[in-house]
């Protein structure tokens, strides 16, 4: 995670807690020539548009005061969604035993996309009980993306 994203996460977590939300992820990315700061928020009962609006308004003042980003950017607040991306160790811990899709940079066993149940996570290595019942572990360098999966 970038230095800016980590700083924004540090600023956002107390704001989210005050609103009874949690910060799932923070991205600071360049897309189509523009910079985007995206904060994904979550809560046990699910995030709605009102939650995003309340959090966005609260964070505007915090971001203006701290001014952690020198260049211009678009600010977005969103739910991580039901098929959310798993990036951080705590994401994997919270989703253990749930169905996931693992996308690889290069094919393993003839496929680049694997589906099954998240069975383990250790130092970036992802262990999956595949849909066929086999267990496979992918090293961090092999994994492009892991998402929760709706069955």
């Amino acid at each position: 995670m970038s230095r800016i994203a980590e700083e924004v996460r540090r600023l956002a977590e107390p704001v989210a807690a005050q609103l009874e939300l949690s910060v799932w992820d923070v991205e600071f990315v360049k897309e189509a020539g523009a910079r985007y700061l995206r904060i994904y928020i979550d809560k046990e009962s699910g995030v709605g548009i009102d939650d995003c609006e309340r959090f966005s308004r609260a964070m505007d003042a915090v971001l203006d005061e701290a001014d952690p980003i020198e260049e211009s950017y678009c600010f977005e607040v969103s739910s991580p969604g039901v098929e959310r991306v798993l990036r951080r160790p705590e994401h994997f811990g919270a989703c253990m035993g749930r169905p996931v899709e693992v996308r690889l940079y290069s094919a393993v066993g003839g496929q680049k996309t694997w589906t099954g149940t998240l069975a383990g996570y250790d130092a970036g290595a992802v262990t999956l009980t595949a849909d066929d019942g086999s267990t496979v572990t992918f090293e961090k360098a092999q994994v492009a993306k892991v998402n929760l999966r709706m069955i």
Side-chain angles (χ1 to χ4, degrees):
M1 184 174 283
S2 74
R3 178 194 59 77
I4 290 173
E6 282 296 334
E7 175 66 11
V8 170
R9 175 182 276 281
R10 186 187 65 72
L11 294 168
E13 285 177 340
V15 174
Q18 186 174 27
L19 298 172
E20 299 180 350
L21 302 165
S22 63
V23 175
W24 179 263
D25 205 2
V26 177
E27 294 179 328
F28 185 62
V29 296
K30 187 173 186 177
E31 294 176 358
R35 291 281 186 183
Y36 291 87
L37 173 63
R38 293 190 182 106
I39 302 177
Y40 298 93
I41 58 173
D42 202 12
K43 70 178 181 182
E44 189 96 11
S45 60
V47 172
I49 190 75
D50 292 339
D51 297 311
C52 293
E53 183 180 348
R54 285 184 311 119
F55 181 79
S56 177
R57 288 176 193 259
M59 275 305 294
D60 273 340
V62 171
L63 290 169
D64 284 346
E65 184 177 322
D67 199 21
I69 304 171
E70 293 180 10
E71 58 199 296
S72 65
Y73 61 93
C74 300
F75 177 46
E76 298 176 352
V77 175
S78 177
S79 159
V82 293
E83 293 191 346
R84 60 194 58 197
V85 177
L86 309 182
R87 291 180 206 204
R88 300 171 67 86
E90 58 267 26
H91 295 165
F92 288 91
C95 296
M96 206 58 61
R98 297 189 55 195
V100 294
E101 177 180 271
V102 178
R103 292 183 184 258
L104 305 173
Y105 291 112
S106 300
V108 170
Q111 58 191 65
K112 286 179 72 173
T113 302
W114 289 72
T115 58
T117 303
L118 182 61
Y121 181 80
D122 184 31
V126 177
T127 300
L128 180 74
T129 301
D131 290 338
D132 67 5
S134 64
T135 299
V136 61
T137 298
F138 304 106
E139 295 304 317
K140 181 178 183 175
Q142 295 176 287
V143 177
K145 188 176 181 183
V146 179
N147 288 77
L148 277 183
R149 184 171 63 105
M150 296 304 298
I151 297 179

